[in-house]
Amino acid sequence: LLRARTPVIAVSAVYETEPRGYDDQPCFLNAAVLIETELDPIAIKDQLIEDVETALDRERLANNKNAPRTIDIVIALFNDAVMDFVPADGRPRHIPDRDLLRSVLAIVPVAFLAPNLHHPETGERLDAIARRLQAELGEKQAIWLREDIRLID
């Protein structure tokens, strides 16, 4: 669905993690995608992401942001930008996504795509952040490579 709307440059491996925030649901599958676009972050969220999530029947529950869902797409990085923005849903977002510094499910797939890239706020390499979080969080946020799942054609 993303490829139908914008050039996809690279796709990470797929990783499995246990659910967070609401444990009574299946495990999460996590991946990162590098795209090329002329859109700004608001247009990416309001047009590109919203279209894909709608096509995949994403439902948002106002009372539980961690409820089971078919897909959840976030903008983790946007070049080397550091910015806040508010898309049409009215929920403020920050780039780089704050979960890159606190969640293995966010950082590991992104670091797979760009291990040598530096985090725009901390200057730390993405692969170093991933290693640090995996060591700090251990089994509290375990992540498993799913070699049996590939997201490329």
Side-chain angles (χ1 to χ4, degrees):
L1 290 173
L2 282 172
R3 256 195 198 110
R5 292 162 173 81
T6 192
V8 172
I9 307 304
V11 179
S12 76
V14 175
Y15 298 87
E16 183 174 350
T17 57
E18 292 180 353
R20 291 181 18 203
Y22 181 80
D23 295 339
D24 189 22
Q25 62 181 314
C27 288
F28 295 156
L29 296 176
N30 307 282
V33 178
L34 176 62
I35 65 168
E36 184 176 317
T37 181
E38 295 295 321
L39 300 174
D40 64 26
I42 291 175
I44 292 170
K45 174 65 181 136
D46 290 346
Q47 298 167 25
L48 190 65
I49 291 173
E50 191 64 32
D51 287 353
V52 170
E53 288 184 342
T54 298
L56 294 173
D57 296 325
R58 165 71 196 253
E59 292 183 28
R60 297 188 188 280
L61 301 178
N63 63 342
N64 187 354
K65 71 176 192 147
N66 295 312
R69 54 212 177 263
T70 55
I71 191 162
D72 185 22
I73 303 173
V74 300
I75 303 171
L77 296 165
F78 187 82
N79 299 321
D80 60 355
V82 175
M83 63 190 304
D84 293 304
F85 69 101
V86 181
D89 66 12
R91 292 184 17 225
R93 306 296 203 295
H94 182 76
I95 295 175
D97 186 77
R98 287 184 169 88
D99 280 345
L100 291 176
L101 295 174
R102 61 184 178 213
S103 170
V104 295
L105 71 87
I107 189 63
V108 169
V110 175
F112 177 97
L113 287 182
N116 299 321
L117 189 70
H118 292 259
H119 189 282
E121 292 177 307
T122 68
E124 191 176 6
R125 282 175 40 144
L126 297 183
D127 61 350
I129 297 170
R131 284 192 306 274
R132 178 176 49 78
L133 284 180
Q134 286 180 293
E136 288 173 4
L137 297 172
E139 288 301 313
K140 287 175 26 183
Q141 280 192 21
I143 189 165
W144 305 277
L145 177 63
R146 290 291 305 266
E147 294 183 42
D148 59 318
I149 302 173
R150 294 183 46 89
L151 295 179
I152 52 178
D153 298 340

